[in-house]
Amino acid sequence: MPATIKDLAKYCGLSVSTVSKALNGYSDISEETRKAVQDAVRFLDYHPNSHARALKKGRSYNLGVLFSDESQSGLTHPFFSHVLESFKKTAENAGYDITFISHRLGQDRFTFLDHCRYREVDGVCVACIKFDDDEVLRLIHSDLPLVTIDNVFDDRVCVASDNEGGMRSLVEYVFAQGHRKVAYIHGQPSAVTDLRVSAFFRTASRLGLQVPDEYIAQCDYTNPQGAYEATKKLLQLPERPTCILVCDDSAVTGAMRAAQKAGVRVPEDLSLAGFDGIPQMQNFYPRLTTVFQDAQAIGRESAIQLIRQIEGTDEAGQKLFTVPCSLIPGQTVAPCSL
């Protein structure tokens, strides 16, 4: 049978209340006693009963995660998989489990909020989903502690990458490399896309960079085929761009394939840049020029802020936590003398 707290107390020669205080970090327990209890925990392979803890604390110690991207990539998503892994590690280190929220449990269909209630989650993190969906909005406007990633709502905590700053630095960089014919293949409409597109045009205007309408294209995020088709059309223009900014690192692979098929060399004839800073893409040759988003920091901060809400230690007033981006100058953007 699994060891109980009574077994720990008997092994240590202490009362159950003293052992409980040692396990929960009470300050009136000596370091010697605390060490003795921890040694007993390891020796007896003791694991606390989650149901008992939930009853005692009035919490389930379970965090919901609502994540559903357009391509249904789930935990294989090239960027958000790193965000979610960091969220998971941070939550587990704080003693919380993770439950993914969905519409289904066996044959039963739930709304997102009903699934959260059914699983008795203490709070939920919402990422990479259609934030204007009625069911998502119902969850957003519920009384559950909640954190969103990259989408701001009134009176809700949001952890966001500095998409505007990242795009600004990228446009400034290619401009400094001499590029004046810069095209942009942006992602599908979303709050993130709106921020990046507006930053692209504002920075271009400030630099005096003319951007013809035909230089703006769209494809789904993490969709190399969509980027391939968009790049193919851009390269067929009578006055084709010398540099193309692509919505994310994964999609850049499609743009590279389109250039190769058209006999256009990267970066000698065409410069390309992405967004995300996915580590795997930095192993390709030529090494990708991109904007690094700190997925680890985004996931970690999201878990911290959600747990602070649950435990009542959040800072009143602060709702937006912005994680800085940084430029990675690779080898896919070359100086342009045109």
Side-chain angles (χ1 to χ4, degrees):
M1 290 182 61
T4 66
I5 194 170
K6 290 182 178 179
D7 295 325
L8 287 181
K10 183 177 179 181
Y11 182 86
C12 296
L14 299 169
S15 68
V16 170
S17 62
T18 298
V19 170
S20 177
K21 285 184 175 182
L23 291 173
N24 288 284
Y26 280 68
S27 58
D28 59 343
I29 299 299
S30 70
E31 283 303 315
E32 182 180 1
T33 299
R34 200 182 316 277
K35 183 179 183 305
V37 171
Q38 291 301 325
D39 289 343
V41 165
R42 288 188 289 270
F43 182 78
L44 297 176
D45 194 26
Y46 167 78
H47 297 281
N49 185 295
S50 60
H51 294 293
R53 182 177 68 154
L55 287 172
K56 181 178 179 181
K57 299 286 188 177
R59 298 201 297 268
S60 67
Y61 287 88
N62 189 12
L63 303 182
V65 173
L66 177 54
F67 172 86
S68 177
D69 68 307
E70 291 287 333
S71 61
Q72 299 296 308
S73 60
L75 293 180
T76 65
H77 192 285
F79 175 71
F80 273 99
S81 60
H82 298 286
V83 174
L84 297 177
E85 179 62 23
S86 178
F87 180 93
K88 177 176 177 289
K89 286 182 179 178
T90 305
E92 288 176 345
N93 287 339
Y96 286 81
D97 292 321
I98 303 297
T99 291
F100 281 90
I101 302 304
S102 68
H103 276 133
R104 290 204 165 275
L105 183 67
Q107 298 302 312
D108 297 326
R109 191 183 189 283
F110 287 81
T111 67
F112 292 135
L113 180 57
D114 287 342
H115 196 186
C116 287
R117 300 291 192 205
Y118 178 81
R119 289 299 188 185
E120 298 181 326
V121 299
D122 293 329
V124 61
C125 175
V126 184
C128 197
I129 197 166
K130 290 183 177 179
F131 283 93
D132 59 351
D133 181 271
D134 287 343
E135 280 197 26
V136 176
L137 291 174
R138 183 183 171 203
L139 176 59
I140 296 290
H141 297 306
S142 72
D143 59 355
L144 273 174
L146 185 143
V147 167
T148 61
I149 294 179
D150 276 338
N151 202 296
V152 177
F153 289 91
D154 290 342
D155 298 322
R156 282 302 196 180
V157 172
C158 174
V159 177
S161 184
D162 186 8
N163 288 284
E164 292 177 282
M167 179 55 69
R168 181 172 59 249
S169 66
L170 186 57
V171 176
E172 290 173 345
Y173 177 73
V174 299
F175 183 86
Q177 296 299 306
H179 292 278
R180 300 297 182 266
K181 300 176 182 178
V182 182
Y184 181 26
I185 304 173
H186 62 74
Q188 70 265 35
S190 68
V192 168
T193 299
D194 291 346
L195 289 171
R196 293 183 188 177
V197 170
S198 62
F200 172 83
F201 279 111
R202 281 200 308 270
T203 307
S205 176
R206 176 169 54 81
L207 296 173
L209 194 63
Q210 300 298 315
V211 183
D213 290 345
E214 57 267 28
Y215 275 19
I216 303 300
Q218 177 182 323
C219 75
D220 289 344
Y221 287 108
T222 69
N223 186 341
Q225 184 59 32
Y228 171 88
E229 299 295 341
T231 302
K232 181 180 176 181
K233 291 179 181 178
L234 288 169
L235 294 179
Q236 291 171 346
L237 291 173
E239 192 168 350
R240 72 185 189 198
T242 63
C243 179
I244 301 175
L245 311 183
V246 186
C247 57
D248 60 46
D249 292 358
S250 296
V252 168
T253 60
M256 288 181 172
R257 183 161 54 90
Q260 183 181 38
K261 190 167 184 179
V264 175
R265 299 170 301 166
V266 176
E268 293 87 351
D269 305 322
L270 174 70
S271 289
L272 292 172
F275 210 106
D276 281 347
I278 297 172
Q280 298 91 317
M281 289 296 296
Q282 291 302 302
N283 295 322
F284 281 64
Y285 180 83
R287 187 164 52 84
L288 181 63
T289 297
T290 187
V291 173
F292 172 72
Q293 297 192 92
D294 194 339
Q296 301 294 323
I298 294 170
R300 180 174 61 251
E301 191 65 35
S302 298
I304 289 171
Q305 293 307 322
L306 183 55
I307 291 169
R308 284 180 176 172
Q309 287 183 63
I310 293 166
E311 298 182 351
T313 59
D314 55 319
E315 298 178 16
Q318 186 169 358
K319 298 297 182 183
L320 177 61
F321 296 82
T322 303
V323 178
C325 292
S326 58
L327 180 73
I328 300 178
Q331 299 164 324
T332 56
V333 172
C336 179
S337 58
L338 295 180

